[in-house]
Structures are given as structure tokens and as C-alpha cells.
């Protein structure tokens, strides 16, 4: 059974689509998955980010603090539970997630509402940076969200524009496990456009 980690930034729509695919496919595959944090804000530190992407980077920085605080208190399981609740609201329903909504979300998950205040706790930036650095070490280079690691072999991606149906999703996971087990495999890429849709592909 493969050990799979998926590193992602909560604000990244591609990360959300990849997570939904992977969690579904791994359940059918009876393979465990651990969701872990990386940061687009840290990735772009020192870069000249264009005005279109600046709001996402700002959200990444603030939400990264919250997720780091939740991980510190509740571990990877807490990260995953908050991520799924946040993603359903922010990515699926495309809601503007307010401070009050985050506090309610935390409470509904059995977490302390006061953790919402960590959005502005800059002292947590170092914890976010450490989590991000782990993702880059696993990848063995510089990469964004998502990053998948299978039995310790890291790849940038998979970048999905839609959540595949169950059959295709399982086949994709099998292919990635095979690729990770092939030391000679280095890279495979084709052009894509975004942002992705969070709608699931219907099976045939």
C-alpha cells in the first residue's frame, strides 16, 4: 500500500480539485492520504506578483497562518477537516469566507472559535514557511500547489481541470503510483488552462 501526501495551499483551486480526486480515488484504492500545507505566499516571496494574483497571495498569507495554527493544535487530521470545510465553501460554493464564517466553521468542527484571530498573527509566518519548505524538499525543487508525494517520491501536480469520474480517477492514481515506482521517470506535462471547474465528471 502506497503512502501518499498531498501538499497544497488552501486558496488554490487546482489544489482543491486534486484533493477531491485523490481522496475519492484513494478510498477506492484503500490507500491512505495525508493532506499537508504549502504556501503560495511563501513561494512568491520576493517576486513581483501582478495585480490579478495579488489578492490570492494575500489570502494565502492570512489563511496559511490559520491552517498552521490548526495543524499545531489538531495535527494533519485537523488540517484536513478544516480544509474540506473551507474548500466546500470557498471553491465549490464560491462564497466570500468572512472572519465570522471561519469562526463558525471552526466551532462546527469542534475547534476553538478564537483560532480565527490567527489570520492576523504574523508570528505564525515562520511555521507556514517551515511547512512550505518541507513541500519543496519533498519535491526536490521549487513548485506550487499541489505537490504529490508517493512513497517519498515527489511530483508537482497533478494539475486537473475537473474532478474525473471514479473509474478514470482510480486509473490516474494507479498510473501515478506506477510512475513514482519508476526511478527513471522524471516529468510529463502538457498545456492546460484555468481556473479549473470543481464539478465532477459524469461517468459513462
Amino acid at each position: 500500500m502506497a503512502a501518499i501526501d498531498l501538499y497544497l495551499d488552501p486558496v488554490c483551486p487546482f489544489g482543491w480539485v486534486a484533493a477531491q480526486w485523490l481522496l475519492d480515488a484513494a478510498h477506492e484504492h484503500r490507500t491512505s492520504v495525508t493532506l499537508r500545507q504549502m504556501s503560495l505566499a511563501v513561494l512568491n516571496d520576493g517576486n513581483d506578483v501582478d495585480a490579478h494574483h495579488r489578492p490570492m497571495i494575500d489570502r494565502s498569507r492570512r489563511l496559511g497562518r490559520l491552517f498552521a495554527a490548526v495543524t499545531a493544535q489538531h495535527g494533519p487530521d485537523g488540517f484536513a477537516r478544516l480544509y474540506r470545510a473551507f474548500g466546500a465553501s470557498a471553491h465549490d460554493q464560491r462564497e466570500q469566507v468572512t472572519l465570522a464564517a471561519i469562526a463558525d466553521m471552526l466551532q462546527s468542527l469542534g475547534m476553538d472559535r478564537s483560532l480565527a484571530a490567527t489570520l492576523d498573527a504574523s508570528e505564525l509566518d515562520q511555521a507556514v514557511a517551515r511547512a512550505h519548505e518541507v513541500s519543496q524538499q519533498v519535491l526536490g525543487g521549487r513548485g506550487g500547489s499541489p505537490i504529490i508525494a508517493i512513497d517519498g517520491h515527489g511530483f508537482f501536480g497533478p494539475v486537473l481541470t475537473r474532478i474525473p469520474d471514479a473509474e478514470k480517477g482510480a486509473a490516474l492514481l494507479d498510473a501515478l503510483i506506477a510512475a513514482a515506482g519508476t526511478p527513471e521517470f522524471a516529468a510529463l506535462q502538457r498545456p492546460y488552462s484555468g481556473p479549473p471547474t470543481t464539478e465532477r465528471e459524469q461517468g459513462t
Side-chain angles (χ1 to χ4, degrees):
M1 181 181 296
I4 303 178
D5 297 306
L6 187 68
Y7 296 82
L8 40 80
D9 188 311
V11 305
C12 177
F14 287 107
W16 175 250
V17 172
Q20 303 319 296
W21 152 73
L22 179 58
L23 291 169
D24 288 349
H27 178 74
E28 295 297 323
H29 208 280
R30 297 187 179 181
T31 299
S32 63
V33 171
T34 303
L35 302 182
R36 301 189 185 276
Q37 183 173 10
M38 62 85 65
S39 172
L40 293 175
V42 176
L43 182 70
N44 286 280
D45 275 346
N47 294 340
D48 186 15
V49 179
D50 62 66
H52 177 71
H53 289 96
R54 173 52 59 187
M56 175 183 280
I57 297 302
D58 292 342
R59 290 195 303 273
S60 168
R61 193 171 306 282
R62 297 185 74 226
L63 284 162
R65 297 163 180 165
L66 169 67
F67 277 87
V70 166
T71 303
Q73 287 197 16
H74 300 279
D77 177 68
F79 177 93
R81 289 191 293 126
L82 179 59
Y83 177 68
R84 297 190 82 160
F86 172 82
S89 180
H91 297 301
D92 286 344
Q93 300 169 24
R94 299 186 182 277
E95 295 178 347
Q96 196 72 23
V97 184
T98 64
L99 180 63
I102 287 174
D104 289 344
M105 199 177 292
L106 290 164
Q107 184 174 21
S108 73
L109 296 170
M111 301 177 187
D112 191 339
R113 290 177 61 90
S114 67
L115 283 168
T118 60
L119 288 165
D120 296 314
S122 59
E123 61 270 21
L124 288 166
D125 288 348
Q126 288 187 350
V128 177
R130 287 193 297 270
H132 177 76
E133 180 58 27
V134 171
S135 75
Q136 306 300 282
Q137 290 174 354
V138 166
L139 180 61
R142 184 176 183 274
S145 173
I147 291 169
I148 194 169
I150 302 174
D151 291 333
H153 303 285
F155 301 95
F156 170 59
V159 176
L160 302 172
T161 56
R162 182 190 294 269
I163 303 167
D165 67 30
E167 183 178 355
K168 291 179 182 176
L172 176 59
L173 180 56
D174 285 337
L176 288 175
I177 291 173
T182 305
E184 299 81 6
F185 180 80
L188 180 68
Q189 185 172 345
R190 66 179 175 184
Y192 64 92
S193 59
T197 176
T198 59
E199 296 176 359
R200 294 176 183 272
E201 181 182 7
Q202 300 301 311
T204 56

